[in-house]
């Protein structure tokens, strides 16, 4: 079979009326920006991209209060610059910036809103482990001439498109427009993304889970119960052994789930609550796009209390607990949370 390039795929999607020309162009621009991030990431120490942004007492701190890596800043700039002039966007919002960035007046404006985590898993940059970019696209509400934070506060069900790129041994783009989840692999010689898996399916059942076990003592009781049962293996109530993996780059953990199944958790815990937070991962830049991608692949995504895509956001940088992957496992963990809430209520 002849290889299908991303551009060919986007033309097919337009002909099927899954996307319009503006959205198709926007995806091309985002994909091109991600190719530039892939090049910067691959250069590693030789490109001077490792380490922290700023230095000494003047380390660069983002809106989340986290010290930024050089590659966080570079990736954010690449995405902002690539998307400013194309004419498909009303504004961009980034995990790295407090407020949305309007499209400069000198460029035409479009009807879409782009949200992104420019470099997910940035603690892995310096140790040469996979990192990635996550993005989500919304429609700018009709009649809005200056897109502001309130216009971005739409539930995940309103996403027109979502995707991520993993900068790993291969650079891989995963994309959904709400008609299945598809994977493209970057052909470095040719310089284009080529369709490598169409209509990916997450197996409903699994024997592999991903969680940061070092937080175990901080988890809520239902999470303790659920993971305790998995760890008990064949001798426990689940009657089978489970394997565990944790990359600490959500893109890589989700990509493994889309490839061989599994379930991923970043639950609420006492340490997170003590900081006055409602979760670790960001709803708009991480949870919503990944939930859309996983649901379109037949998996499930929840907070343990509700479906992620149904959450009505109240803030751009809102954080939520995330359970996603194999539908059967997301349901068992969520059921334990519902039961615990019922017993407490
Ligand atoms: P960041 O983009 O700030 O590096 O965050 C990474 C996220 C996510 O990708 C990953 O699953 C999780 O945080 C890792 O958390 P731990 O540090 O607890 O392992």
């Amino acid at each position: 079979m002849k290889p299908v390039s991303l551009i060919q795929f986007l033309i097919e999607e337009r002909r099927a009326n899954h996307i319009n020309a503006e959205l198709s162009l926007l995806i091309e621009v985002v994909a091109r920006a991600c190719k530039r991030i892939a090049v910067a990431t691959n250069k590693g120490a030789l490109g001077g991209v490792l380490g922290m942004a700023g230095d000494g007492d003047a380390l660069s701190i983002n809106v989340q209060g986290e010290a930024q890596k050089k590659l966080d800043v570079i990736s954010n700039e690449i995405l902002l610059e690539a998307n400013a002039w194309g004419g498909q966007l009303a504004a961009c919002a980034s995990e790295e910036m407090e407020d949305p960035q309007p499209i400069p007046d000198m460029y035409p404006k479009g009807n879409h809103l782009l949200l992104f985590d420019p470099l997910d898993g940035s603690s892995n940059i310096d140790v040469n482990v996979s990192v990635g970019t996550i993005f989500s696209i919304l429609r700018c509400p009709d009649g809005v001439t200056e897109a502001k934070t309130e216009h971005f506060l739409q539930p995940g069900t309103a996403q027109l498109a979502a995707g991520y790129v993993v900068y790993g041994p291969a650079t891989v783009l995963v994309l959904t427009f709400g008609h299945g989840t598809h994977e493209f692999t970057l052909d470095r010689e040719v310089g284009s993304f080529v369709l490598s898996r169409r209509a990916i399916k997450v197996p409903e059942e699994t024997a592999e889970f991903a969680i940061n076990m070092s937080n175990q003592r901080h988890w809520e009781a239902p999470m303790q119960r659920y993971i305790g049962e998995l760890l008990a293996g064949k001798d426990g109530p689940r009657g089978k052994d489970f394997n565990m993996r944790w990359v600490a780059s959500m893109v890589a953990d989700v990509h493994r789930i889309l490839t061989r199944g599994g379930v991923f958790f970043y639950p609420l815990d006492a340490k997170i609550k003590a900081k006055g937070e409602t979760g670790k991962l960001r709803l708009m830049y991480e949870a919503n796009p990944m939930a859309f991608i996983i649901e379109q692949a037949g998996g499930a995504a929840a907070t343990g209390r509700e479906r992620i895509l149904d959450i009505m956001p109240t803030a751009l940088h809102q954080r939520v607990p995330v359970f996603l992957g194999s539908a059967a496992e997301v349901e068992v963990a969520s059921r334990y949370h519902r039961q615990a809430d019922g017993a407490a209520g």
Side-chain angles (χ1 to χ4, degrees):
M1 228 173 56
K2 276 184 83 180
V4 175
S5 69
L6 174 64
I7 302 205
Q8 273 175 279
F9 178 85
L10 292 173
I11 293 170
E12 281 175 19
E13 291 293 284
R14 276 173 61 184
R15 289 187 183 146
N17 280 328
H18 294 165
I19 53 171
N20 62 21
E22 197 174 301
L23 183 52
S24 167
L25 263 171
L26 177 52
I27 296 292
E28 280 187 52
V29 173
V30 172
R32 206 174 318 130
C34 290
K35 282 191 248 175
R36 288 189 54 203
I37 299 174
V39 170
T41 309
N42 288 162
K43 283 202 161 77
L46 305 182
V49 296
L50 304 185
M52 308 306 290
D55 54 2
D57 293 340
L59 280 182
S60 172
I61 305 292
N62 71 7
V63 55
Q64 322 282 341
E66 300 156 343
Q68 290 177 300
K69 302 270 181 174
K70 279 186 196 156
L71 215 47
D72 281 323
V73 175
I74 294 168
S75 307
N76 196 50
E77 277 165 10
I78 289 176
L79 279 157
L80 285 178
E81 194 220 70
N83 284 289
W85 55 272
Q88 298 91 33
L89 287 177
C92 290
S94 163
E95 188 192 296
E96 299 296 329
M97 304 184 311
E98 179 140 22
D99 298 312
Q101 167 119 340
I103 296 303
D105 285 340
M106 61 212 209
Y107 299 125
K109 289 199 178 71
N111 295 324
H112 293 92
L113 302 172
L114 173 68
L115 299 103
F116 51 81
D117 175 356
L119 207 75
D120 177 63
S122 46
S123 70
N124 280 324
I125 297 167
D126 296 353
V127 292
N128 199 21
V129 170
S130 298
V131 289
T133 297
I134 310 174
F135 61 92
S136 161
I137 298 172
L138 296 165
R139 190 185 309 287
C140 186
D142 289 343
V144 171
T145 50
E146 243 181 87
K148 301 209 170 62
T149 296
E150 67 208 67
H151 305 119
F152 282 84
L153 301 183
Q154 305 180 34
T157 48
Q159 291 173 103
L160 300 177
Y164 67 80
V165 176
V166 189
Y167 311 110
T171 293
V172 169
L173 163 69
V174 171
L175 199 56
T176 186
F177 299 122
H179 297 274
T181 291
H182 315 285
E183 179 204 77
F184 303 82
T185 301
L186 182 62
D187 181 332
R188 285 176 212 264
E189 279 76 41
V190 179
S192 68
F193 280 107
V194 177
L195 185 64
S196 37
R197 283 191 292 161
R198 199 188 276 274
I200 301 171
K201 286 284 164 238
V202 176
E204 198 181 316
E205 309 275 344
T206 185
E208 193 163 72
F209 66 99
I211 195 163
N212 183 344
M213 282 297 299
S214 70
N215 294 323
Q216 183 173 22
R217 70 190 186 283
H218 305 295
W219 296 337
E220 296 178 307
M223 202 66 214
Q224 299 276 3
R225 174 185 172 194
Y226 173 75
I227 296 291
E229 290 182 0
L230 303 192
L231 294 175
K234 268 202 190 103
D235 306 329
R238 300 299 301 270
K240 65 174 182 181
D241 288 338
F242 283 79
N243 185 27
M244 197 205 87
R245 287 287 183 274
W246 184 249
V247 183
S249 285
M250 192 189 195
V251 281
D253 281 313
V254 168
H255 198 68
R256 187 186 56 255
I257 290 170
L258 284 176
T259 306
R260 67 177 192 212
V263 62
F264 169 99
F265 298 96
Y266 215 115
L268 183 61
D269 66 33
K271 204 167 77 176
I272 293 170
K273 279 193 202 161
K275 286 191 219 154
E277 299 284 4
T278 46
K280 152 101 185 189
L281 300 176
R282 276 52 60 134
L283 174 63
M284 307 296 285
Y285 312 104
E286 293 167 321
N288 268 343
M290 290 309 201
F292 192 20
I293 287 166
I294 287 284
E295 283 201 6
Q296 283 298 314
T303 63
R305 267 109 190 169
E306 61 189 318
R307 179 183 177 221
I308 286 174
L309 294 181
D310 286 336
I311 299 172
M312 190 62 216
T314 51
L316 202 52
H317 298 285
Q318 186 171 342
R319 295 173 189 251
V320 290
V322 175
F323 302 5
L324 61 77
S326 148
E329 291 306 321
V330 171
E331 175 46 28
V332 176
S334 299
R335 178 156 41 86
Y336 289 180
H337 283 74
R338 288 195 302 269
Q339 283 170 359
D341 291 351

